[in-house]
Amino acid sequence: MPPYISVTNLTKIFRTASGSQLVLNGVNLSINRGEIYGIIGLSGAGKSTLIRCLNRLETPDSGEIFIDGRDMFGLSEEELRLARMDMGMIFQSFNLLSSRTAFGNVAFPLEVRGLKKKEITERVSELLELVGLSDKADSYPRQLSGGQMQRVGIARALANNPKILLSDEATSSLDPQTTMSILELIFKLQQRLDLTVVLITHEMRVITEICDRVAVLDEGTVVEEGPVIDVFTNPQNPHTRNFVEMVLKENSRFLERGYRPRGKLTRLRYLGESVSEPLFSSMVKLFGVDAVILQAQVDHIKDQPFASMLVDLVGEEDNIMKSIAYLVSRGVKVEEEK
Amino acid sequence: MLLTAQQFKMLTTASLETLYMVSVTTLLTALAGIPLGILLVVTRPGHIWANKAVHRILGFVVNVTRSIPFPIFIVFVIPLTRFIVGSSIGATAVIVPLTLAAFVFLARLTETALLEVPHGVIEAAKSMGASNLRIVGRVMLPEARSGLIMAITITIITLISYSAMAGAVGGGGLGDLAIRYGYQRYQTDIMWVTVILLVIVVQGAQSFGDYLVRKCSGGR
């Protein structure tokens, strides 16, 4: 079965008076129906241009985009308008109409579709309820917080029951706590409404929180692509490693401040079930090896638990080797740290 | 200082003439100037109906019209005035040059007001499948309405002062009265009364405009 969204060899050049810049340089992507696909990159990497090509807010210089088998560049103006109604989009700056209330903003796409007033009223109430803003229907954007404005944006994007949600840095102007609540909402709605979500971001946190797969974009090219868990735990490209480090703070203050290891300095990373097992105490009991924890972090990638720690294993050489073998047998990735 | 019955009558007539010229011209100016202002915006590069040629031609015409001083402009368009009104003299005849000069002015002010609408908001409407006509009518104009009301207020005030020059072609009005009686015949009292009347009218227009702006941005 062909992918739901397929992007082939997409190229875009920005021409300005001062010269031309290759913004997208032969981008290929395939996105499956019902997944949350993240595109991460630094500003200027071309990710905004890329996502805007999907609903043709931007026209590339060459390349193809097929969505659900439809050639996005073979559409007439009218067909394009209809195709856009099947794709909701949310934005970093929310882009709400300041002259309309929350209600009026959510009503806008329904007016575009040509619904009757009564149907609009019903549907808008339903949508505001869905995003938890029923009590803010009559508030103007200026009276709402950033998170509330983005909720209105999401309700508006989903008004016409789209199959695809495009998110253009939707959480980048929000504080960390609000970011989490918006991501949770997107995830919940994606599950409930069976949406395919394409999001762009410069924050690795967003990717590890809700994405199934990720593409890393650098200077208009996809430099790494795959399931988030693989890319996160085993990054290949230096850019990807930089993004991973944004989330995974593995440097140890103890070492930086001159801690002298007494035994063997070891990095342990483990995923999934093993996180919840009492591996450490078992190790101490079984082999009589002590562990000085220098840095530790327990987190999760989407719904998978993930842990990383730096330990100084103190004990007899033989017993340390046995401990390491034991940990490896339980699925822990062990690296000797220099 | 008391006005004679004759002076009072002159002032009343002049006030009505000014009111007539300014109100009819405002209506015509808005009908022509706002659409022209919209065109100046939407034909810009990267906008919803980008068209370099149309944008340049419109911009050029607007600039040329605006660079001609109004008294010269009145004389310049006399043939056109005769063609439209049938005469080049009188309050109705003055409406032609007044409208022509004011609508390009309003077009520029409209352009400025519409450019205040963030591009992202227009893009969001586009992403929802809105047509260009809907984007203009339901997004750009409502979003810019405070700016548009201010633009129209400024235009009305400019028209009141322009209409004072209408005396040159027998247009009448308060400004004309002030010049003919107050300046040329040394009737200072008439001049003072007209000036006070003009100040009141201009103040009134500005206050009303400000009130509307406040009202439509209320709650926000």
Side-chain angles (χ1 to χ4, degrees):
Chain A
M1 209 183 80
Y4 190 50
I5 300 174
S6 97
V7 175
T8 318
N9 221 351
L10 208 65
T11 303
K12 172 82 186 178
I13 301 163
F14 277 166
R15 293 176 183 84
T16 55
S18 54
S20 58
Q21 189 201 350
L22 193 58
V23 184
L24 295 177
N25 186 6
V27 170
N28 295 298
L29 290 176
S30 41
I31 299 167
N32 300 319
R33 185 191 285 265
E35 74 177 344
I36 303 186
Y37 195 95
I39 299 166
I40 191 168
L42 298 171
S43 50
K47 51 193 192 306
S48 196
T49 310
L50 174 58
I51 199 168
R52 286 147 45 86
C53 282
L54 294 180
N55 60 356
R56 275 193 48 188
L57 287 177
E58 198 87 62
T59 309
D61 289 277
S62 65
E64 282 181 333
I65 295 177
F66 279 83
I67 295 180
D68 203 7
R70 275 221 305 188
D71 179 1
M72 288 305 284
F73 299 109
L75 302 177
S76 68
E77 273 303 306
E78 198 53 31
E79 285 169 330
L80 176 62
R81 288 209 313 112
L82 291 172
R84 280 174 175 164
M85 289 184 207
D86 280 337
M87 288 186 259
M89 192 170 194
I90 52 177
F91 306 87
Q92 175 172 5
S93 47
F94 322 122
N95 294 345
L96 300 180
L97 295 167
S98 66
S99 58
R100 290 186 177 217
T101 59
F103 184 97
N105 270 285
V106 180
F108 187 86
L110 301 167
E111 292 165 16
V112 172
R113 173 139 283 181
L115 293 194
K116 293 197 187 73
K117 216 165 183 172
K118 194 168 158 271
E119 296 170 302
I120 291 178
T121 311
E122 278 170 24
R123 179 81 182 124
V124 173
S125 319
E126 215 177 287
L127 286 156
L128 287 175
E129 170 120 37
L130 195 66
V131 298
L133 279 184
S134 296
D135 55 329
K136 297 286 180 197
D138 297 326
S139 302
Y140 285 92
R142 269 183 55 180
Q143 301 165 320
L144 299 173
S145 70
Q148 289 169 332
M149 282 198 265
Q150 196 57 287
R151 280 167 192 269
V152 175
I154 291 170
R156 179 175 74 170
L158 299 178
N160 282 320
N161 295 309
K163 298 181 191 78
I164 298 171
L165 178 67
L166 304 174
S167 166
D168 184 354
E169 298 269 14
T171 58
S172 299
S173 55
L174 303 174
D175 61 65
Q177 204 181 335
T178 315
T179 294
M180 283 304 156
S181 77
I182 292 294
L183 293 178
E184 260 166 46
L185 178 67
I186 293 174
F187 182 66
K188 187 185 91 184
L189 294 172
Q190 184 257 349
Q191 299 281 302
R192 197 196 290 192
L193 307 171
D194 195 25
L195 292 167
T196 304
V197 178
V198 183
L199 66 83
I200 66 167
T201 183
H202 62 268
E203 293 173 302
M204 194 63 191
R205 189 74 268 177
V206 174
I207 301 285
T208 55
E209 198 64 27
I210 60 169
C211 291
D212 298 298
R213 287 200 299 146
V214 62
V216 182
L217 202 65
D218 180 52
E219 290 183 349
T221 321
V222 176
V223 292
E224 194 155 352
E225 203 264 349
V228 174
I229 209 110
D230 296 354
V231 172
F232 188 80
T233 51
N234 194 16
Q236 300 299 312
N237 185 279
H239 288 282
T240 319
R241 253 173 253 144
N242 286 338
F243 282 120
V244 170
E245 276 164 19
M246 280 170 34
V247 182
L248 208 56
K249 294 185 179 65
E250 290 191 328
N251 58 324
S252 162
R253 279 288 179 88
F254 279 113
L255 282 182
E256 282 164 9
R257 291 190 180 165
Y259 173 84
R260 292 271 174 113
R262 284 179 280 161
K264 203 178 187 66
L265 212 51
T266 314
R267 164 72 56 193
L268 310 173
R269 292 197 189 94
Y270 41 116
L271 257 183
E273 290 305 298
S274 28
V275 172
S276 54
E277 279 180 41
L279 287 176
F280 251 46
S281 51
S282 306
M283 184 185 82
V284 174
K285 276 183 218 154
L286 286 170
F287 308 104
V289 170
D290 278 331
V292 182
I293 299 173
L294 300 174
Q295 179 266 335
Q297 183 181 10
V298 180
D299 216 321
H300 58 101
I301 297 172
K302 200 157 184 179
D303 38 16
Q304 282 241 56
F306 174 84
S308 166
M309 54 173 67
L310 184 67
V311 291
D312 186 8
L313 296 177
V314 186
E316 282 180 30
E317 179 73 25
D318 194 34
N319 287 342
I320 290 175
M321 294 321 283
K322 277 185 197 157
S323 303
I324 290 174
Y326 166 76
L327 291 171
V328 170
S329 76
R330 308 308 293 254
V332 178
K333 240 182 92 184
V334 181
E335 256 173 53
E336 197 179 326
E337 192 99 350
K338 275 146 251 157
Chain B
M1 180 186 75
L2 280 170
L3 294 170
T4 63
Q6 197 211 353
Q7 281 175 324
F8 188 75
K9 201 176 159 231
M10 273 190 330
L11 278 165
T12 317
T13 315
S15 300
L16 288 174
E17 278 166 348
T18 295
L19 190 70
Y20 168 68
M21 285 188 289
V22 172
S23 54
V24 174
T25 313
T26 301
L27 187 71
L28 295 173
T29 298
L31 286 176
I34 292 173
L36 179 60
I38 293 169
L39 274 180
L40 282 169
V41 173
V42 297
T43 55
R44 278 174 172 257
H47 218 286
I48 55 175
W49 195 56
N51 190 319
K52 215 180 224 171
V54 172
H55 183 71
R56 284 216 175 136
I57 292 168
L58 291 179
F60 181 74
V61 172
V62 167
N63 287 344
V64 167
T65 313
R66 289 199 55 200
S67 40
I68 304 171
F70 188 62
I72 300 169
F73 193 76
I74 298 178
V75 180
F76 187 67
V77 296
I78 281 177
L80 184 69
T81 311
R82 268 207 194 104
F83 177 75
I84 296 173
V85 186
S87 156
S88 61
I89 294 170
T92 307
V94 175
I95 288 173
V96 175
L98 265 182
T99 305
L100 286 176
F103 98 99
V104 289
F105 176 65
L106 178 61
R108 276 290 182 222
L109 295 179
T110 302
E111 182 188 26
T112 312
L114 291 177
L115 285 175
E116 289 292 312
V117 180
H119 193 68
V121 174
I122 294 166
E123 201 157 60
K126 232 169 152 183
S127 80
M128 288 178 259
S131 63
N132 287 348
L133 204 62
R134 184 178 290 273
I135 289 173
V136 170
R138 292 293 157 88
V139 177
M140 290 167 60
L141 291 176
E143 286 293 290
R145 60 187 178 182
S146 299
L148 289 174
I149 293 169
M150 277 190 253
I152 291 172
T153 308
I154 294 170
T155 307
I156 290 173
I157 289 165
T158 309
L159 279 172
I160 294 169
S161 91
Y162 272 20
S163 73
M165 297 177 227
V169 287
L174 285 171
D176 181 37
L177 193 70
I179 292 168
R180 279 192 294 133
Y181 286 82
Y183 175 66
Q184 287 162 354
R185 298 190 194 176
Y186 304 107
Q187 294 188 15
T188 331
D189 49 352
I190 287 275
M191 195 175 74
W192 275 109
V193 174
T194 36
V195 167
I196 290 166
L197 275 176
L198 283 170
V199 168
I200 291 171
V201 172
V202 168
Q203 271 302 329
Q206 185 66 55
S207 302
F208 187 62
D210 290 344
Y211 163 75
L212 286 179
V213 168
R214 267 200 312 278
K215 202 179 160 200
C216 80
S217 55
R220 286 198 274 138

